[in-house]
Amino acid sequence: MENTPDILALLEENRRRAALLPAEANPVTGEGCHGVRIHAGTPVPGLEYAWIPQTMVEDTLYPTVRRNATAWQRLRCAHDFEYWAVRCARIKDKLTGADVPFRLNAPQRRVLAILEDMRLGRRPIRMIMLKARQWGGSTLVQMYMAWIQSCLCRNWNSLICAHVKDTAAQIRGMYTKLLESYPDDLWEGDADDGRPAFKPFERSLNIRRIAGRGCKVTLASAENQEAVRGGDYAMAHLSETAFWPSTPRHTPEQFIRAICGSVPRVPLSMVVIESTANGVGNYFHTEWTRSRSGLSDKAPVFVPWHEIEIYRSAVTDPAALIGSLTAYERELWDTGTGADGRPVITLEMLQWFHDKAREYPSLEQMQAEFPSTDTEAFNTSANNVFHSEHIERLRQGCSDPRRRCEVTRSGAFSPDPRGRLAIWAEPARYGEYVVAVDVGGRSRTSDYSVIAVLSVEDRPRVVAQWRGHIDHDLLVETAAAIAEAYNDALLIVESNTLESEADTSGDPSLFLLNRLAMRYTNLYYREPSPLTGGARRPGFHTNRATKAMIISGLIEAVRDGLYIESDTEACNELATYEQLPNGNFAAAPGRHDDILITRAIALHVASARILPPHVRASLDDYLRQIRARRRLRY
């Protein structure tokens, strides 16, 4: 969209785009509904013809039901989810609050197509869904499970688990409403067990059985994980997993793994993990990233705000709207596309977005609530230091390490699949490396200590990383061993914690730095202050001035792609790093920045234009010596 657009041309383009939007489907006649359909006559009064699924026509029962209206509708319900939904399910309308037949909207039909592709392909149904607001993703998932239990399977048990029990109860409430309004003539349950309804099961407060179907529905929450153990589940609906708590005893990953492990990988089995975004670095974000990369068994589904039909407003003055659009809104018009790559943003969508955005103090907050991309959905703060698009680009270089090890007291690398040392690349014979150390705490609840190894030939690349909790004397020994293994790399220790402990406890940690200096010769020293003088001291000291300096350098490196990241968790830390109102930098509450700081320090020191004078002056000689030693050694 140019600065001085041709209004008539824009209106014509808008009409063209509007014509490409999904047409409203008619689930009764089958027009516009999903799947391969055949136009056929029906025995249903008032419905002479309908577009019915091809699978229904191919069903061996089809010839026997062609003159029986009730049997024909029951068979269609078993093959046509959209028909079943409008005939048998009732939901609360989001705008009016009234109970209405369940007619799928455009995003729900798109997600249904993914579910049906897996079902009809006789594959286990596995999906992870990143939700925007108010399009009914949870409703579709629960109704699809209810359809399987009501029409397709008997003795097929399901689990509904959310971050808190009230949310899970609301989801089961949809099922309760469904059963209460289910047409008696279409119910496929055992007659001697009564009409469709939930019935108690063995005096359990959390388990209900569906009358006449032999199916149980279990209610649970992430707050009480023991309640789901030992369950016999064929389907699991795991809701708002980004908000599931993590404790020293239980993590969402462990809990979900236990649930998924109990669901057999057979046709019609189903696991759906869904949530609105809650920042990065949690289980949901990690699993979403794996799925987007094709590394998970789950199909990733994201619905942007502009697919949701209720997010559109009439345009009364196109010229005024166009003249008031922000740069981001103009970009939406120019670049917004659908799953098929065609432009989808219309002026009616822009009008709604433009009006709604005025309710929020920043674009970032609007994007968090109504994202156009999954990256925007995970962007949690208007105070983020690093741009989400730059982080996502950096994330493309991340991968699982080639191997993991533990560093022994002798300095050897002992293979260990759960080891704290992750290695993406082995030391190259003549490679040049920098090792940066961020000193954390000793206990499991404190900040981590991190030792990062970067190759500094050409574009810096993270090649190894140690992360864990350890006594500080063992930390410096481990760092020296790793630096030695990587061709006697320049070792840079962030000295704040060690020097702070030295000032308050007599000198033990400062002694560690001095002892390290005697043990390892290629140690980074900082120059004395021009104001106070004094001797050069080992270690990199982080204060307000030096922190602003190294973070500025890291912002540039991330923005311009000046280094290659290997660890996904580093990108997660970048995404939750904030600038505080007082100008300082810090990780968001509950997050970490220990990996990030090692990158900032290593890249600052490795940059030739800002090397300390004594390092810059001797760097070429040092590298020549390293290469010479390597040639002699090999």
Side-chain angles (χ1 to χ4, degrees):
M1 185 181 293
E2 299 176 359
N3 293 330
T4 57
D6 183 331
I7 298 298
L8 293 179
L10 281 175
L11 292 176
E12 180 60 32
E13 172 64 13
N14 191 59
R15 283 190 288 269
R16 188 188 71 81
R17 294 186 183 189
L20 296 175
L21 295 177
E24 185 175 351
N26 186 330
V28 176
T29 65
E31 294 174 277
C33 293
H34 169 71
V36 179
R37 292 179 177 262
I38 294 175
H39 195 242
T42 89
V44 179
L47 185 66
E48 186 176 358
Y49 291 95
W51 291 92
I52 59 177
Q54 180 176 318
T55 56
M56 177 182 172
V57 177
E58 295 171 348
D59 195 303
T60 56
L61 293 176
Y62 182 69
T64 69
V65 304
R66 296 183 65 178
R67 289 181 173 83
N68 185 317
T70 299
W72 186 93
Q73 290 180 89
R74 286 187 173 189
L75 184 63
R76 185 176 177 186
C77 283
H79 287 272
D80 192 342
F81 173 80
E82 292 179 79
Y83 179 75
W84 171 87
V86 77
R87 288 286 285 114
C88 302
R90 297 184 70 83
I91 62 170
K92 179 177 289 188
D93 184 84
K94 292 183 180 297
L95 298 180
T96 67
D99 288 344
V100 296
F102 180 29
R103 291 176 178 267
L104 275 65
N105 57 35
Q108 289 170 335
R109 294 202 304 274
R110 179 163 72 84
V111 177
L112 173 66
I114 299 172
L115 294 171
E116 284 287 85
D117 181 62
M118 289 185 274
R119 181 184 73 86
L120 294 173
R122 298 192 57 78
R123 303 194 306 274
I125 301 169
R126 301 293 187 269
M127 177 181 287
I128 182 168
M129 186 188 310
L130 172 58
K131 299 191 303 182
R133 298 188 180 278
Q134 303 297 315
W135 67 271
S138 295
T139 300
L140 174 67
V141 170
Q142 193 53 51
M143 290 301 177
Y144 195 80
M145 287 186 172
W147 175 59
I148 291 175
Q149 291 180 310
S150 300
C151 297
L152 305 184
C153 296
R154 293 175 181 265
N155 305 309
W156 205 248
N157 303 327
S158 66
L159 169 71
I160 304 170
C161 187
H163 60 311
V164 293
K165 196 169 184 178
D166 285 349
T167 300
Q170 290 176 3
I171 296 174
R172 191 172 70 180
M174 302 178 198
Y175 211 150
T176 302
K177 184 188 295 291
L178 162 73
L179 294 175
E180 289 174 347
S181 59
Y182 207 106
D184 288 338
D185 61 327
L186 299 182
W187 180 244
E188 297 272 11
D190 298 331
D192 59 356
D193 202 15
R195 72 174 314 278
F198 274 139
K199 291 193 174 184
F201 177 78
E202 300 290 342
R203 298 183 180 180
S204 171
L205 296 176
N206 298 322
I207 305 175
R208 297 288 185 270
R209 70 178 183 88
I210 303 172
R213 296 295 297 177
C215 300
K216 298 192 293 288
V217 179
T218 300
L219 195 70
S221 76
E223 297 172 321
N224 183 16
Q225 301 185 9
E226 300 301 325
V228 305
R229 297 194 181 279
D232 173 22
Y233 309 119
M235 301 188 294
H237 180 185
L238 311 180
S239 182
E240 296 298 352
T241 53
F243 298 87
W244 287 19
S246 181
T247 68
R249 292 185 58 192
H250 299 289
T251 66
E253 182 177 11
Q254 293 168 338
F255 187 28
I256 293 174
R257 186 187 301 123
I259 294 172
C260 293
S262 69
V263 178
R265 293 192 60 82
V266 297
L268 292 175
S269 69
M270 184 170 175
V271 175
V272 175
I273 298 174
E274 50 93 345
S275 184
T276 48
N278 183 32
V280 301
N282 51 49
Y283 168 80
F284 179 74
H285 174 256
T286 300
E287 189 62 20
W288 172 261
T289 303
R290 285 200 331 117
S291 298
R292 281 293 305 271
S293 302
L295 302 176
S296 169
D297 64 337
K298 301 171 189 66
V301 174
F302 168 68
V303 174
W305 67 269
H306 52 72
E307 282 192 33
I308 304 170
E309 290 119 326
I310 62 174
Y311 296 154
R312 294 165 198 177
S313 299
V315 181
T316 57
D317 190 342
L321 170 64
I322 293 166
S324 63
L325 294 180
T326 65
Y328 175 78
E329 291 163 352
R330 290 172 180 269
E331 184 180 0
L332 281 178
W333 173 270
D334 291 335
T335 63
T337 58
D340 58 0
R342 297 183 300 184
V344 295
I345 301 295
T346 66
L347 294 178
E348 290 75 17
M349 297 172 187
L350 283 182
Q351 183 73 66
W352 178 88
F353 189 92
H354 183 77
D355 294 341
K356 188 68 176 178
R358 298 178 67 180
E359 298 178 12
Y360 295 88
S362 71
L363 172 63
E364 289 79 8
Q365 292 182 28
M366 176 69 179
Q367 290 172 329
E369 296 295 321
F370 302 98
S372 299
T373 66
D374 59 330
T375 299
E376 288 181 0
F378 288 109
N379 192 20
T380 58
S381 172
N383 301 318
N384 284 3
V385 173
F386 300 92
H387 197 286
S388 56
E389 291 185 6
H390 303 156
I391 297 171
E392 290 307 305
R393 185 177 61 211
L394 190 70
R395 198 184 294 276
Q396 300 308 307
C398 298
S399 63
D400 292 334
R402 291 185 178 180
R403 65 185 181 111
R404 285 189 172 274
C405 304
E406 278 296 338
V407 182
T408 67
R409 292 295 298 272
S410 66
F413 292 180
S414 176
D416 185 336
R418 295 187 177 182
R420 290 171 290 182
L421 176 61
I423 297 176
W424 286 273
E426 305 293 339
R429 178 173 296 188
Y430 303 120
E432 299 152 14
Y433 301 93
V434 167
V435 176
V437 182
D438 183 63
V439 181
R442 298 175 174 86
S443 69
R444 293 180 59 187
T445 58
S446 59
D447 290 336
Y448 289 92
S449 292
V450 176
I451 305 168
V453 184
L454 275 71
S455 167
V456 293
E457 296 178 277
D458 300 321
R459 186 162 57 143
R461 175 192 294 269
V462 176
V463 296
Q465 176 177 280
W466 185 99
R467 187 176 189 233
H469 298 104
I470 192 173
D471 289 341
H472 291 161
D473 61 325
L474 298 178
L475 174 66
V476 296
E477 289 183 9
T478 300
I482 293 173
E484 285 177 345
Y486 278 87
N487 298 354
D488 297 326
L490 178 64
L491 178 57
I492 316 154
V493 180
E494 199 267 347
S495 61
N496 291 49
T497 300
L498 301 181
E499 292 178 353
S500 175
E501 291 178 355
D503 291 340
T504 58
S505 60
D507 199 37
S509 294
L510 188 60
F511 167 72
L512 293 179
L513 284 171
N514 292 330
R515 187 172 74 178
L516 175 63
M518 290 186 289
R519 178 206 185 291
Y520 190 79
T521 57
N522 193 26
L523 189 65
Y524 174 89
Y525 285 78
R526 63 182 183 272
E527 297 297 321
S529 168
L531 299 177
T532 59
R536 293 164 55 221
R537 302 183 69 177
F540 184 94
H541 189 270
T542 305
N543 52 46
R544 182 162 184 166
T546 60
K547 190 171 188 179
M549 176 177 62
I550 63 174
I551 295 301
S552 294
L554 186 58
I555 292 171
E556 178 184 0
V558 173
R559 182 195 67 219
D560 297 340
L562 301 182
Y563 91 104
I564 301 172
E565 184 55 67
S566 299
D567 184 23
T568 297
E569 190 58 35
C571 296
N572 294 340
E573 289 192 2
L574 291 170
T576 55
Y577 200 62
E578 299 178 348
Q579 185 163 24
L580 306 179
N582 63 3
N584 289 340
F585 298 100
R591 307 296 185 181
H592 296 281
D593 64 0
D594 38 74
I595 300 175
L596 179 154
I597 292 298
T598 61
R599 276 42 170 186
I601 293 175
L603 291 171
H604 168 76
V605 173
S607 177
R609 59 183 171 82
I610 49 177
L611 281 173
H614 73 281
V615 176
R616 184 170 59 243
S618 60
L619 181 60
D620 290 340
D621 288 340
Y622 160 69
L623 293 178
R624 281 193 291 270
Q625 293 171 16
I626 288 293
R627 294 188 184 102
R629 286 206 298 271
R630 292 297 148 189
R631 292 189 186 97
L632 290 174
R633 188 173 299 177
Y634 294 100

